[in-house]
Amino acid sequence: VVDPAMCTIAAQATANGGMWVPIRPGTDNHFLAAILRHILEKGYEDQAFIDEYCSGYDEFISAFKSYWNKTDQSNGLKYFTMEWAADKTTLSEDKIVEIAEIIGTTKPGAICWGMNGVGHRYAGYIASTLGTAINVVMGNYEAPGGSIDCNQVRISKGGNAGGGFFNNRAVTRTDNRTSVTGKPEALH
């Protein structure tokens, strides 16, 4: 749970083996940009998913990567590096790498955010865009255990809103680089 405060959800996560990441308020976009860069540098993206479902991917990634060799005038560091994100977020580089590795090597997975924090602050749309980009690049969009669009949006796109669609197909879950295939209920 990424939250400046030890909120109820963060407390529940830490009590159940999860992690609380006390980020500097308003720096979610910096944190997510470094994670996306790490995923791309390590080659963790799901190219098959991207090829089948994404349009505009090359343009988005090209624009994102165009900042990699530019220097942020506020701190003299290269954009989206772990060092840059650590300076912005007050998290350690090691902690950001740890989280980026978890996100990059666990499949399916999802980055989710609430509208009270990320969505209601300056540049929240940037963090929302980066979170969505990570979910898509990892092939974790519209996948059981991944980020699933709400029923109303899915129906308006002509999609299937029934849970049977997800529950009756075989999926592969990769955790710590070990893959297991089965129906969603068997993978928990």
Side-chain angles (χ1 to χ4, degrees), residues 14-75:
T14 57
N16 291 289
M19 163 186 333
W20 170 48
V21 183
I23 196 170
R24 176 185 287 154
T27 62
D28 306 88
N29 47 346
H30 304 90
F31 175 68
L32 293 170
I35 290 172
L36 180 56
R37 179 174 179 155
H38 184 83
I39 288 168
L40 296 172
E41 286 178 333
K42 294 286 188 169
Y44 291 149
E45 63 268 34
D46 184 335
Q47 196 61 51
F49 180 90
I50 292 165
D51 291 344
E52 186 170 350
Y53 297 108
C54 298
S55 62
Y57 174 79
D58 292 335
E59 295 84 357
F60 175 82
I61 294 303
S62 177
F64 180 73
K65 286 182 174 181
S66 74
Y67 278 83
W68 288 14
N69 291 318
K70 295 181 181 179
T71 302
D72 184 336
Q73 298 304 308
S74 72
N75 60 11

Side-chain angles (χ1 to χ4, degrees), residues 76-181:
L77 301 171
K78 298 290 184 191
Y79 281 102
F80 315 148
T81 62
M82 293 297 166
E83 182 183 16
W84 174 84
D87 178 70
K88 297 289 185 176
T89 64
T90 69
L91 300 172
S92 72
E93 289 180 51
D94 289 342
K95 179 55 72 177
I96 301 169
V97 168
E98 175 188 2
I99 295 165
E101 280 292 313
I102 291 168
I103 292 169
T105 61
T106 303
K107 189 166 180 64
I111 296 176
C112 303
W113 52 95
M115 294 309 293
N116 289 332
V118 172
H120 286 173
R121 66 162 179 79
Y122 176 75
Y125 66 93
I126 296 171
S128 295
T129 299
L130 289 165
T132 301
I134 292 168
N135 284 333
V136 169
V137 165
M138 292 303 302
N140 289 330
Y141 198 74
E142 293 288 350
S147 180
I148 299 173
D149 221 349
C150 70
N151 286 345
Q152 193 61 35
V153 173
R154 204 171 320 126
I155 291 168
S156 71
K157 294 178 185 175
N160 184 333
F165 171 72
F166 294 107
N167 293 331
N168 293 324
R169 68 179 183 177
V171 296
T172 300
R173 177 173 176 80
T174 304
D175 192 5
N176 201 19
R177 296 188 175 97
T178 301
S179 296
V180 179
T181 301

